[in-house]
């Protein structure tokens, strides 16, 4: 049975409507407070709406406990099992990690068939974490950028059907007049927590030649996320940020392109000891260059299992799919790519 939603859009009366697809039938309800799905509409999310959204700081210190993962790509069931196993969420999928910080380094979109379920879970955890004194850092990946900019090459067939039934292109389901679209556009692309720098792809040595701070880069991403591709390409700085050499696309750590001294120069520039990235798939959470680079794309996108990075009082650990943890030991050689 085909169900999808909710998709929450601003309406002309100053309020908002929720659109639900229930057994291929489009149903509209008022969108205010706690949403209630229509009858016979499966187990679709019923989120508590919590606009407006503040743009948070992008640098934090003295955070005792940090958990990070990446590249979920619509694999909601794997995500929930992993987060429950590590008691990040409880059995009702509510925040259970107190004042800890959770970092999702992008790529919730594309490939998988439960994108909305992932998005609404992250949306609700964002508010619940704050209420508990913690924080959810939802960073923009290349697939968030692709979808928001209308590059729909990797969307699941399910969402082509949703788009047709609603009568909007898939990217317009997350436009600036939507609840999820506005929420996503408030988020950062890079964040610094304690001695760790998080982003989706990686920081290339080319960054050192640019007049860029973390905050300036985050502001540029937010300001230009809806720009046309040709306009981005025409501006050298925006072209660097949004395309292959920038923090959402860079893969150089896994190609043997960087020397130890180049890695050290990047760490020194940002005043950190570790750079944490997703984007380039591994079989597990992986430490490279003596754990100076940490890869957290553990192939959740395959829908079978996944891992997370667990940091408590500076101690680095791999969080296994079953909830067990072990120290993160750096690999002596780069993985094949």
């Amino acid at each position: 049975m085909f169900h999808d939603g909710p998709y929450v859009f601003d309406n002309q009366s100053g309020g908002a409507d929720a659109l639900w697809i229930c057994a291929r039938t489009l149903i509209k309800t008022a969108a205010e407070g706690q949403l209630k799905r229509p009858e016979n509409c499966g187990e679709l999310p019923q989120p508590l709406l919590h606009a407006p959204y503040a743009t948070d700081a992008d640098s934090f210190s003295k955070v005792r406990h940090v958990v990070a993962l990446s590249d979920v790509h619509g694999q909601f069931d794997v995500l929930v099992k992993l987060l429950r196993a590590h008691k990040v969420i409880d059995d009702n999928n509510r925040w259970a990690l107190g004042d800890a910080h959770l970092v999702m380094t992008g790529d919730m979109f594309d490939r998988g068939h439960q994108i909305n379920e992932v998005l609404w879970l992250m949306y609700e955890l964002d508010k619940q974490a704050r209420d508990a004194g913690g924080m959810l850092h939802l960073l923009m990946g290349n697939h968030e950028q692709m979808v928001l900019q209308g590059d729909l090459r990797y969307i699941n067939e399910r969402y082509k059907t949703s788009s047709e039934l609603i009568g909007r292109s898939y990217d317009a389901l997350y436009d600036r007049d939507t609840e999820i679209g506005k929420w996503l556009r408030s988020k950062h692309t890079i964040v610094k927590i304690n001695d760790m720098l998080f982003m989706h792809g990686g920081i290339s040595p080319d960054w050192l030649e640019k007049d860029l701070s973390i905050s300036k880069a985050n502001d540029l991403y937010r300001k230009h996320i809806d720009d046309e591709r040709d306009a981005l390409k025409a501006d050298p700085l925006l072209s660097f940020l949004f395309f292959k050499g920038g923090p959402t696309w860079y893969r150089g750590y896994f190609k043997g392109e960087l020397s130890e001294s180049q890695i050290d120069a990047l760490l020194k520039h940002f005043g950190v000891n570790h750079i944490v990235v997703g984007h380039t798939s591994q079989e597990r959470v992986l430490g490279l260059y003596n754990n100076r680079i940490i890869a957290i794309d553990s192939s959740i996108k395959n829908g079978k299992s996944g891992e997370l990075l667990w940091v408590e009082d500076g101690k680095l650990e791999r969080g296994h799919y079953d909830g067990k943890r072990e120290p993160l030991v750096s690999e002596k050689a780069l993985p094949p790519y």
Side-chain angles (χ1 to χ4, degrees), residues 183-334:
W183 173 68
L184 286 173
R185 286 169 174 83
S186 74
K187 299 305 180 185
H188 294 310
T189 300
I190 307 169
V191 68
K192 180 180 176 181
I193 305 175
N194 298 338
D195 67 341
M196 311 184 82
L197 190 67
F198 295 85
M199 81 290 300
H200 181 64
I203 293 287
S204 75
D206 293 340
W207 179 288
L208 304 182
E209 302 171 6
K210 314 291 182 185
D211 180 22
L212 276 174
S213 64
I214 294 173
S215 294
K216 181 177 180 180
N218 283 327
D219 288 343
L220 287 170
Y221 276 116
R222 277 190 296 274
K223 182 178 179 181
H224 295 282
I225 187 63
D226 294 299
D227 287 7
E228 295 291 334
R229 182 182 180 90
D230 288 347
L232 294 172
K233 285 281 191 181
D235 183 291
L237 186 55
L238 295 178
S239 183
F240 166 74
L241 284 174
F242 278 91
F243 299 107
K244 297 298 183 183
T248 57
W249 282 97
Y250 183 65
R251 298 187 193 269
Y253 307 142
F254 307 94
K255 296 182 177 181
E257 293 179 357
L258 276 68
S259 66
E260 298 273 346
S261 62
Q262 286 177 303
I263 295 290
D264 288 340
L266 287 170
L267 296 173
K268 181 178 179 180
H269 177 80
F270 290 102
V272 296
N273 293 320
H274 312 277
I275 294 174
V276 183
V277 302
H279 188 48
T280 303
S281 297
Q282 313 296 328
E283 294 181 355
R284 61 178 179 82
V285 170
L286 189 71
L288 301 171
Y289 298 97
N290 197 28
N291 284 344
R292 286 174 286 181
I293 303 297
I294 302 174
I296 60 170
D297 178 354
S298 60
S299 297
I300 292 173
K301 67 183 180 185
N302 294 332
K304 297 179 181 179
S305 65
E307 294 190 353
L308 48 76
L309 174 67
W310 185 279
V311 186
E312 195 162 4
D313 294 327
K315 182 181 179 182
L316 303 173
E317 294 183 308
R318 287 172 55 199
H320 294 276
Y321 194 43
D322 61 2
K324 296 178 182 177
R325 303 199 303 269
E326 66 174 277
L328 181 65
V329 178
S330 182
E331 295 295 305
K332 293 182 180 180
L334 291 173

